[in-house]
Amino acid sequence: MIKTETPTLNLSNLVNGEKGIITKVLGHGAFRKRISEMGFVKGKTVTVIKNAPLQDPIEYKIMGSHVSLRRSEANMIEVIVPLDSVINEKTNYNGTFLTDSTNEIIEKQLKTINVALVGNPNSGKTTLFNFATGKHERVGNYGGVTVDTKEAHFDQGGYRLNVTDLPGTYSISEYSPEELYVRKHISENKPDIVVNVIDSSNIERNLFLTSQLMDMNIRCVVALNMYDDLERKGDSFNYKELAKIIGIPIVATVASKGMGIKELFNTIIDVYESRNPIARHAHINYGTNIEESISRLKNEIKKNKKLSDSFYPRYTAIKLLEADSAFIDQVASFPDTADILLVAENEINSLEKEYKEKSDTIIADAKYGFIHGVLRETYKHKELNKIQTSQAIDVIMTHKYLGFPIFILFLWLMFQLTFSVGSYPMDWIDSGIGHLSGLIGDILPAGSLHDLIVDGIIGGVGGVIVFLPNILILFFFISLMEDTGYMARAAFIMDKLMHKMGLHGKSFIPLIMGFGCNVPAIMATRTLEIRKDRILTMLIVPLMSCSARLPVYVLLISAFFPTNQGLVLLSIYMIGILLAVIVALVFKKIFFAKEDVPFVMELPPYRIPTLKNTLVHMWDKSLQYLTKMGTVILAASIIIWALGYFPRDIEYSKDYDKEAASINLNSNLTDDVKETHLSQLEIDKEAERLENSYIGQIGHFIVPAIAPLGFDWKIGVSIITGLAAKEIVISSMGVLYQAELSADENTVNLKNKLQEQVFTSGPRIGEKVFNPLVAYGMMLFILIYFPCVAVIAAIKKEANGNWAIFTMFYTTALAWLIAFTVYQVGSLFL
């Protein structure tokens, strides 16, 4: 039997004469009631009779009746068109006459539930998503971790649950991209169930979003997350009574431990099937004056069927009374809404005159009044004679004198342990790669394939993968700071200093995220309410040293800074932060002069992170790193090797083979001396060949630009290849410095090669290329110059192409200037 696919469509997609079987009716309130009364219910067959001359409305036949629907209404009804259904039009039967196959399809469609997760930042929403779906998305205890939607599905109780994790947001007003995005997703995608994830340690603030969802008249379930925190404090909360009051089922959960998750999704299924006794639509009473304004405006809205079918009229009235400019623009896009907007304006003026407040403040106060009232009936705080643990810790951690030194101490400890702990597994991997290189080299016969695999692939990729332990340790500590809640304190600590320098304290979160990877840091700027602040922060995020640069630092610091390694690494990161602040100050005065925006940031309670979340985070990052090894860096290593391997017909400056023969015939030399001379001769020959290769020609072409920085042509080539990804700098050096093989050809210790590298041409021929000054200048250049291609793409997406191009040029120019200053000034003293 041949199986055919049966797609789900909207009823408006069907053409004249086509039949469809209804699987889902979207929309809400009066619309759903009216549609159901006309027979448009799940499982019924509907036939398209004809379209009006202007293609709207459309005439349908259902249950023996002919019904006219506007196209916008038909767009709210989902149907399937089963290819194997048999419907006998000659019979008088007007219900559904379906084959077993069609019944299975309908059953599958009816048992598919689309779920959207919404909640405040820090509510544990993404942790819940991860546990329920098995995904490993990033979890952080600060605003802005979920900066885009994440989707997954799983099966439970015979149902397929499609879960979407929406960005964290405090409300669905007009103040930030997250808020507008969440509101748009709920309004346009119309999920079957919205799960509102609430932080049990801050219920009153979290319920504000719940109150807005109540206004929207959508089916909701509340996940009362981190419930163990509430119990640990000794508070009592009759959340089942609260559920009855607000008409939304509430389930206590501890997402980090998986507690209550199964019950939560069983409740979602019950609400979807309309068999939960608590679920109902409850209105918030905003008080006599506001309710009268809502009523008058709602009556006007109901006259516009297209608008009232798209948005619940009461919700529309409330949003208009809040003077939500984004929503007003949306309403204005509907035809014949001028009278509605005029009534709204009159009602706003009336309320503001009565209350002496802005209308959005009036409604927000009424919401909080409702929330305070229901919590007074259901929530009891335990009387405490001492301050909360988080407040006690913050007395020290955010102290005006101690807070900053403690933060610097944490950073120093993180970088010092990155070296001291990471050195052991780093040596193990290094040794393993050396043995692998020797083993493969012995097996393969001499030739191009041998050189490609040993020098190009193993030498290039192996030189980068050795730094994986350092990457993991760095991410481990960043994860700890995020998950414990300390990262938000870091933003709080830095606010005053950054504010004076022209930055917003909240911008510090994306900057710190940049220590891990600049791409999600760029995306995290969406949490900043003002576009100018977002762009300014994007421009300086590349100055934060991402983990991709860490292998370069580890290599150079290990080779040329044997003492105080953690301090040297900390100085690189701190210079990045300092430059970011200075650049922000300059750019703000040039491009973004404006009034300051108040610093508003939640300080979440301190929490003990779970080992599982930390390990998941480390594993995800290791996968990203290893994936890059097998794709971008592997390809780059092969290209760099090929450019250095060809052309093969090099005209050497002298006859190396003749000199080698002369050494072998010299009876005055001992065997050890002969071996030393022959080894050096081989190194000189390979160095000359590499210098005349394609990559050598590229390197020499840019020497005039990099010579003032103390760099040789190989450093220049490594820097160029780093434009794609900063890890490739190490990969390039691993390939380029294969000419400098030590006596033990099995070793891949790039550190020794750098220490021995000398200039092969120019005024400094024969001198050592690297010293601490050159190494430090190179680290600063790698820190500052051209961000990787992925970062440029992220800036282009979040801002525009002009800002992306500007970032490429300003960072490279600044890198050259800083490295030039370090080398030239440093040379006067060292």
Side-chain angles (χ1 to χ4, degrees):
M1 179 179 177
I2 299 174
K3 284 194 174 182
T4 53
E5 206 171 302
T6 305
T8 299
L9 305 168
N10 292 330
L11 181 57
S12 58
N13 299 135
L14 303 187
V15 298
N16 291 350
E18 195 169 10
K19 296 179 175 67
I21 301 165
I22 299 171
T23 59
K24 190 172 291 186
V25 179
L26 307 175
H28 49 70
F31 170 76
R32 286 179 65 94
K33 185 173 183 295
R34 177 163 52 85
I35 288 293
S36 299
E37 289 171 349
M38 289 190 294
F40 290 87
V41 294
K42 293 182 288 189
K44 297 299 181 182
T45 300
V46 58
T47 305
V48 184
I49 302 302
K50 63 176 179 292
N51 283 255
L54 297 178
Q55 302 301 306
D56 202 3
I58 306 170
E59 182 183 344
Y60 296 98
K61 180 182 179 182
I62 187 167
M63 298 180 68
S65 300
H66 288 247
V67 179
S68 174
L69 291 182
R70 288 191 298 274
R71 186 168 291 274
S72 61
E73 295 173 327
N75 200 45
M76 307 280 278
I77 301 171
E78 291 185 359
V79 298
I80 61 169
V81 184
L83 300 177
D84 59 347
S85 63
V86 180
I87 304 176
N88 187 353
E89 293 184 351
K90 295 181 180 179
T91 68
N92 295 321
Y93 179 61
N94 295 309
T96 55
F97 179 73
L98 310 172
T99 66
D100 292 339
S101 176
T102 303
N103 278 321
E104 288 176 10
I105 295 168
I106 293 178
E107 183 71 14
K108 182 179 177 181
Q109 294 291 335
L110 296 182
K111 291 202 169 188
T112 298
I113 307 175
N114 298 317
V115 179
L117 300 183
V118 302
N120 289 188
N122 312 315
S123 62
K125 177 173 54 63
T126 301
T127 305
L128 191 153
F129 174 82
N130 290 344
F131 191 93
T133 64
K135 291 284 184 179
H136 295 160
E137 298 298 343
R138 180 69 191 98
V139 180
N141 195 19
Y142 58 92
V145 173
T146 309
V147 293
D148 212 340
T149 59
K150 302 175 183 67
E151 298 178 357
H153 66 265
F154 66 99
D155 297 327
Q156 180 170 316
Y159 289 79
R160 167 61 56 92
L161 293 118
N162 298 322
V163 185
T164 301
D165 180 21
L166 295 174
T169 179
Y170 294 106
S171 72
I172 45 175
S173 299
E174 60 168 333
Y175 302 112
S176 74
E178 280 76 19
E179 294 175 354
L180 292 176
Y181 186 94
V182 172
R183 187 168 78 190
K184 181 179 179 182
H185 181 91
I186 295 173
S187 298
E188 295 184 2
N189 293 72
K190 294 180 173 56
D192 298 311
I193 305 291
V194 171
V195 176
N196 181 201
V197 185
I198 287 179
D199 177 4
S200 295
S201 65
N202 201 341
I203 294 174
E204 186 168 6
R205 204 278 320 286
N206 279 242
L207 281 176
F208 186 82
L209 177 58
T210 312
S211 70
Q212 293 181 314
L213 296 174
M214 291 172 65
D215 289 337
M216 294 185 79
N217 187 19
I218 54 180
R219 292 192 286 185
C220 284
V221 176
V222 166
L224 189 61
N225 200 28
M226 306 178 197
Y227 193 70
D228 52 342
D229 284 355
L230 186 147
E231 293 179 321
R232 205 161 26 241
K233 289 191 299 183
D235 293 352
S236 62
F237 184 27
N238 188 351
Y239 61 86
K240 293 182 179 179
E241 183 62 28
L242 175 63
K244 293 177 183 177
I245 295 172
I246 65 176
I248 299 175
I250 300 176
V251 180
T253 63
V254 183
S256 61
K257 300 175 182 177
M259 294 172 53
I261 304 299
K262 186 173 182 179
E263 182 187 350
L264 172 67
F265 283 93
N266 282 335
T267 303
I268 289 169
I269 293 170
D270 288 342
V271 172
Y272 175 75
E273 294 290 1
S274 301
R275 59 186 182 221
N276 187 287
I278 293 174
R280 62 184 175 84
H281 178 53
H283 287 168
I284 296 173
N285 189 329
Y286 289 99
T288 304
N289 292 336
I290 300 175
E291 285 294 336
E292 288 177 355
S293 291
I294 291 173
S295 180
R296 284 190 288 268
L297 188 49
K298 187 174 70 172
N299 291 336
E300 191 67 31
I301 292 166
K302 284 182 177 180
K303 298 175 184 178
N304 190 313
K305 292 297 183 185
K306 195 166 186 178
L307 178 62
S308 61
D309 284 348
S310 299
F311 299 103
Y312 182 54
R314 180 178 171 86
Y315 167 72
T316 305
I318 293 169
K319 296 307 294 178
L320 291 177
L321 289 177
E322 288 178 333
D324 185 318
S325 60
F327 192 80
I328 290 172
D329 292 341
Q330 204 169 359
V331 170
S333 67
F334 285 82
D336 305 321
T337 54
D339 289 343
I340 295 172
L341 296 177
L342 181 61
V343 172
E345 186 179 348
N346 292 335
E347 294 299 334
I348 288 171
N349 292 334
S350 175
L351 289 173
E352 290 182 348
K353 184 177 179 181
E354 177 72 24
Y355 288 90
K356 304 294 190 291
E357 289 275 9
K358 288 290 185 182
S359 60
D360 57 339
T361 303
I362 297 168
I363 292 177
D365 287 345
K367 285 183 184 292
Y368 275 117
F370 166 77
I371 294 167
H372 179 75
V374 294
L375 288 181
R376 187 170 56 188
E377 298 296 322
T378 57
Y379 195 102
K380 303 297 178 187
H381 289 277
K382 180 182 178 181
E383 292 297 327
L384 297 175
N385 296 321
K386 58 182 181 179
I387 59 176
Q388 297 291 330
T389 303
S390 289
Q391 294 173 323
I393 297 174
D394 277 342
V395 168
I396 298 172
M397 304 304 282
T398 60
H399 190 274
K400 64 178 180 178
Y401 298 121
L402 298 177
F404 195 77
I406 290 173
F407 175 56
I408 298 298
L409 177 63
F410 280 161
L411 290 181
W412 172 82
L413 182 65
M414 175 173 70
F415 297 132
Q416 187 63 39
L417 289 176
T418 297
F419 273 101
S420 58
V421 177
S423 63
Y424 298 103
M426 180 180 170
D427 290 341
W428 301 335
I429 296 174
D430 187 23
S431 177
I433 292 173
H435 286 98
L436 176 64
S437 178
L439 179 63
I440 299 296
D442 292 339
I443 294 174
L444 292 176
S448 298
L449 180 62
H450 173 283
D451 295 341
L452 168 63
I453 294 177
V454 174
D455 297 337
I457 296 177
I458 299 178
V461 176
V464 182
I465 202 172
V466 71
F467 299 102
L468 178 61
N470 306 92
I471 300 291
L472 294 179
I473 293 170
L474 179 67
F475 276 116
F476 175 80
F477 282 101
I478 290 178
S479 177
L480 283 181
M481 286 200 292
E482 292 169 350
D483 296 343
T484 56
Y486 182 70
M487 195 66 84
R489 271 76 182 178
F492 177 80
I493 293 165
M494 295 294 294
D495 176 60
K496 187 172 183 180
L497 176 62
M498 296 181 75
H499 183 74
K500 287 183 177 180
M501 297 292 184
L503 271 176
H504 192 286
K506 203 171 181 180
S507 299
F508 193 66
I509 294 299
L511 298 183
I512 289 292
M513 286 182 69
F515 285 168
C517 179
N518 288 171
V519 175
I522 295 291
M523 296 174 69
T525 58
R526 296 180 191 175
T527 59
L528 302 173
E529 288 82 2
I530 307 301
R531 175 172 168 79
K532 290 182 179 179
D533 282 343
R534 292 198 297 274
I535 294 176
L536 179 58
T537 306
M538 283 181 218
L539 293 178
I540 61 174
V541 160
L543 298 175
M544 299 295 100
S545 189
C546 68
S547 61
R549 298 170 171 110
L550 183 61
V552 183
Y553 306 152
V554 173
L555 172 66
L556 295 175
I557 292 173
S558 299
F560 303 104
F561 299 92
T563 59
N564 299 317
Q565 294 180 332
L567 193 60
V568 174
L569 183 59
L570 175 62
S571 70
I572 298 293
Y573 280 77
M574 294 308 296
I575 288 172
I577 294 173
L578 179 62
L579 283 174
V581 172
I582 294 172
V583 169
L585 178 60
V586 173
F587 285 175
K588 191 162 190 177
K589 288 186 179 298
I590 296 174
F591 302 120
F592 305 111
K594 64 179 185 63
E595 295 182 2
D596 291 322
V597 178
F599 176 71
V600 179
M601 166 160 277
E602 176 191 7
L603 293 182
Y606 288 102
R607 293 191 175 95
I608 299 175
T610 63
L611 180 61
K612 179 183 176 181
N613 281 343
T614 303
L615 292 177
V616 163
H617 183 203
M618 291 177 62
W619 174 243
D620 285 348
K621 290 303 176 185
S622 68
L623 280 180
Q624 292 178 25
Y625 192 73
L626 291 170
T627 300
K628 195 180 284 187
M629 297 301 103
T631 54
V632 177
I633 293 172
L634 174 61
S637 296
I638 293 173
I639 292 171
I640 294 163
W641 171 84
L643 290 173
Y645 193 76
F646 298 102
R648 302 301 292 172
D649 54 340
I650 298 294
E651 291 187 12
Y652 293 101
S653 60
K654 56 184 178 181
D655 192 337
Y656 287 98
D657 293 335
K658 184 177 180 180
E659 286 196 20
S662 176
I663 292 171
N664 281 319
L665 294 173
N666 192 335
S667 58
N668 296 325
L669 300 177
T670 65
D671 289 342
D672 289 343
V673 173
K674 284 182 180 181
E675 185 177 348
T676 301
H677 284 325
L678 289 172
S679 177
Q680 184 59 49
L681 193 64
E682 186 65 28
I683 289 173
D684 291 343
K685 180 182 179 180
E686 179 62 14
E688 185 175 346
R689 188 202 66 75
L690 191 60
E691 194 163 353
N692 286 279
S693 67
Y694 294 130
I695 204 164
Q697 295 171 35
I698 295 172
H700 282 291
F701 178 76
I702 64 170
V703 161
I706 61 175
L709 313 182
F711 299 168
D712 73 341
W713 68 269
K714 294 182 183 179
I715 296 177
V717 170
S718 301
I719 287 171
I720 290 174
T721 59
L723 300 180
K726 293 298 177 283
E727 298 98 332
I728 300 177
V729 173
I730 293 292
S731 178
S732 302
M733 296 173 81
V735 173
L736 293 173
Y737 294 133
Q738 287 296 324
E740 314 302 327
L741 289 171
S742 59
D744 177 10
E745 292 190 4
N746 290 336
T747 185
V748 291
N749 194 337
L750 189 55
K751 178 173 69 175
N752 294 335
K753 298 173 188 176
L754 296 184
Q755 292 169 341
E756 299 167 2
Q757 177 71 8
V758 296
F759 285 96
T760 55
S761 61
R764 295 180 59 193
I765 188 169
E767 293 182 24
K768 293 276 188 182
V769 173
F770 286 94
N771 57 44
L773 191 61
V774 172
Y776 199 78
M778 183 178 176
M779 286 190 288
L780 290 178
F781 194 94
I782 297 297
L783 163 71
I784 304 166
Y785 89 115
F786 191 109
C788 71
V789 174
V791 174
I792 295 300
I795 295 174
K796 182 178 183 296
K797 178 183 177 183
E798 299 297 320
N800 58 50
N802 292 334
W803 288 117
I805 294 170
F806 176 74
T807 303
M808 291 159 46
F809 282 100
Y810 106 76
T811 53
T812 305
L814 181 61
W816 191 93
L817 181 62
I818 295 294
F820 175 83
T821 303
V822 167
Y823 180 70
Q824 296 297 335
V825 175
S827 297
L828 299 177
F829 301 98
L830 300 176

